[in-house]
């Protein structure tokens, strides 16, 4: 039961009654007053009870965390989730035994889970939230790999004098490549292709 | 596996009670036929199939330990 309508002699009493029915506290519900009620004359002529509607507020972060935990469990991986919120970005840091299953080849599974979690969280959130999923520091390790790759391929582009195209990557990984080579004046980088097959091209400056 | 698909899809749609998964087992392949409410089709497919692809990636990852090849079909 997520929502109840309650009555009482006053608004306060009606709210009180709604909270008891939902078994929760005032901070966790949203209350709409449907009827303020009327005292009436001598307490009974023309008196009307107060009516309020109380609805349990859904915490989008808790909802998303539960979603991740359920999905991981059904995949056969028991995990712990740590949540870090910074403004509009919410990070879920996963740890557990079978974490490799959740990361997948080149982070494919992790990226898919990240996208699905972002959909779930924004179904319940008022402002748009960006979700970041990380498992056992995978993103940090991947970023280091990407920076190394970028530098190596920049060398290759310079040596051969030709453009070098990387494999398709999600936007946040392409950004790592662009940023890594932003200060290198001898090459320029741009993205080509259409999502989800968009890829970075490293091109030597002539 | 059937439960996994339901766990992923139900929180994404407006009519979770209409989510159904049928299993078709053959010799070397298992096909999971996912059906959702007509109004929820867009939600499980997404822009250029982004959501559908994400669901498939997760489901295939979970099924990689099994011998049979797994397919996921989506219908109304």
């Amino acid at each position: 039961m997520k929502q109840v309508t309650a009555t009482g002699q006053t608004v306060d009493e009606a709210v009180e009654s709604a909270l008891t029915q939902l078994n929760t506290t005032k901070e966790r519900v949203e209350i709409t007053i449907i009827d303020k009620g009327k005292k009436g004359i001598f307490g009974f002529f023309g008196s009307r009870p107060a009516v309020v509607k109380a609805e349990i507020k859904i915490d989008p972060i808790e909802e998303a965390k539960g979603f991740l935990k359920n999905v991981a469990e059904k995949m056969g991986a028991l995990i712990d989730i740590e949540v870090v919120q910074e403004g509009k970005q919410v990070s879920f840091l996963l740890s557990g035994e079978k974490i490799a299953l959740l990361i997948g080849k080149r982070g494919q599974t992790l990226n898919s889970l990240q996208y699905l979690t972002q959909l779930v969280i924004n179904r319940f959130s008022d402002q748009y939230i960006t979700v970041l999923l990380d498992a056992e520091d995978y993103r940090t390790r991947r970023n280091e790999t990407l920076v190394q790759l970028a530098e190596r391929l920049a060398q290759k582009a310079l040596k051969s004098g030709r453009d070098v195209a990387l494999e398709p990557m999600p936007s946040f990984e392409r950004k790592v490549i662009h940023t890594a080579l932003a200060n290198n004046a001898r090459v320029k980088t741009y993205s080509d292709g259409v999502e989800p097959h968009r890829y970075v091209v490293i091109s030597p400056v002539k | 596996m059937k439960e996994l698909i339901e766990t992923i899809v139900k929180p994404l749609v407006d009519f979770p009670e209409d989510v159904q998964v049928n299993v078709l087992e053959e010799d070397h392949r298992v096909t999971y036929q996912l059906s959702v409410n007509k109004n929820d089709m867009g939600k499980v497919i997404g822009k250029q199939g982004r959501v559908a692809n994400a669901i498939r990636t997760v489901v295939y990852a979970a099924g990689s330990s099994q011998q049979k090849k797994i397919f996921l079909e989506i219908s109304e």
Side-chain angles (χ1 to χ4, degrees):
Chain A
M1 190 164 50
K2 294 241 163 109
Q3 185 191 325
V4 291
T5 314
T7 54
Q9 301 221 306
T10 60
V11 170
D12 283 346
E13 274 178 43
V15 170
E16 201 62 43
S17 152
L19 292 179
T20 334
Q21 283 181 57
L22 288 169
N23 193 17
T24 183
T25 51
K26 207 167 185 171
E27 294 76 45
R28 296 184 50 198
V29 293
E30 201 157 319
I31 287 162
T32 328
I33 298 167
I34 298 172
D35 193 333
K36 279 188 185 161
K38 248 187 188 164
K39 272 253 169 65
I41 309 157
F42 308 122
F44 53 106
F45 283 116
S47 73
R48 225 170 47 218
V51 184
V52 297
K53 192 174 84 180
E55 203 173 344
I56 290 188
K57 268 191 269 179
I58 300 169
D59 180 354
I61 295 176
E62 278 305 309
E63 210 64 27
K65 194 177 162 187
F67 171 77
L68 271 174
K69 198 145 198 158
N70 283 337
V71 171
E73 197 188 304
K74 294 271 152 47
M75 287 176 80
L78 284 173
I79 52 161
D80 281 320
I81 304 172
E82 194 193 323
V83 185
V84 183
Q85 187 176 10
E86 295 157 54
K88 283 179 198 164
Q89 181 173 304
V90 181
S91 306
F92 295 88
L93 313 173
L94 319 179
S95 57
E97 265 180 37
K98 284 188 172 173
I99 214 77
L101 181 70
L102 299 183
I103 298 175
K105 188 187 161 201
R106 301 225 169 100
Q108 266 182 3
T109 316
L110 194 66
N111 291 343
S112 291
L113 283 171
Q114 173 171 296
Y115 182 59
L116 292 171
T117 310
Q118 176 151 319
L119 290 177
V120 171
I121 211 167
N122 284 307
R123 270 180 75 80
F124 303 106
S125 166
D126 300 330
Q127 64 166 179
Y128 199 79
I129 295 176
T130 330
V131 168
L132 193 103
L133 272 198
D134 198 354
E136 307 270 1
D137 262 343
Y138 170 77
R139 298 267 184 234
T140 326
R141 278 184 283 133
R142 175 79 175 151
N143 282 2
E144 283 167 13
T145 316
L146 287 173
V147 170
Q148 283 173 12
L149 179 79
E151 278 158 10
R152 210 174 59 230
L153 292 180
Q155 286 302 322
K156 190 180 162 192
L158 283 172
K159 241 183 203 166
S160 65
R162 287 199 197 136
D163 289 3
V164 176
L166 281 72
E167 62 177 274
M169 283 172 200
S171 57
F172 50 88
E173 291 191 2
R174 292 199 306 271
K175 191 179 172 192
V176 175
I177 305 274
H178 290 307
T179 319
L181 297 177
N183 292 326
N184 190 335
R186 291 154 69 203
V187 292
K188 57 179 183 168
T189 58
Y190 60 90
S191 294
D192 202 357
V194 187
E195 293 278 13
H197 300 290
R198 217 165 144 72
Y199 54 90
V200 178
V201 179
I202 303 174
S203 164
V205 177
K206 278 146 205 160
Chain B
M1 188 62 66
K2 194 180 155 183
E3 281 174 24
L4 170 67
I5 300 172
E6 285 171 0
T7 314
I8 298 174
V9 176
K10 281 189 177 171
L12 298 175
V13 298
D14 289 334
F15 303 93
E17 61 278 6
D18 289 343
V19 174
Q20 263 190 15
V21 182
N22 286 322
V23 191
L24 263 183
E25 285 217 39
E26 287 161 67
D27 284 349
H28 300 288
R29 51 187 277 171
V30 189
T31 310
Y32 293 91
Q33 294 174 320
L34 166 69
S35 71
V36 296
N37 190 290
K38 211 174 178 176
N39 297 311
D40 283 330
M41 279 309 274
K43 286 206 178 64
V44 292
I45 294 175
K47 206 157 122 199
Q48 289 172 347
R50 247 191 110 176
V51 184
N53 280 335
I55 297 173
R56 285 199 177 105
T57 308
V58 175
V59 171
Y60 295 166
S64 59
S65 55
Q66 291 176 17
Q67 297 296 318
K68 293 184 174 178
K69 195 146 174 54
I70 289 177
F71 293 89
L72 177 68
E73 286 174 1
I74 300 171
S75 59
E76 259 170 37

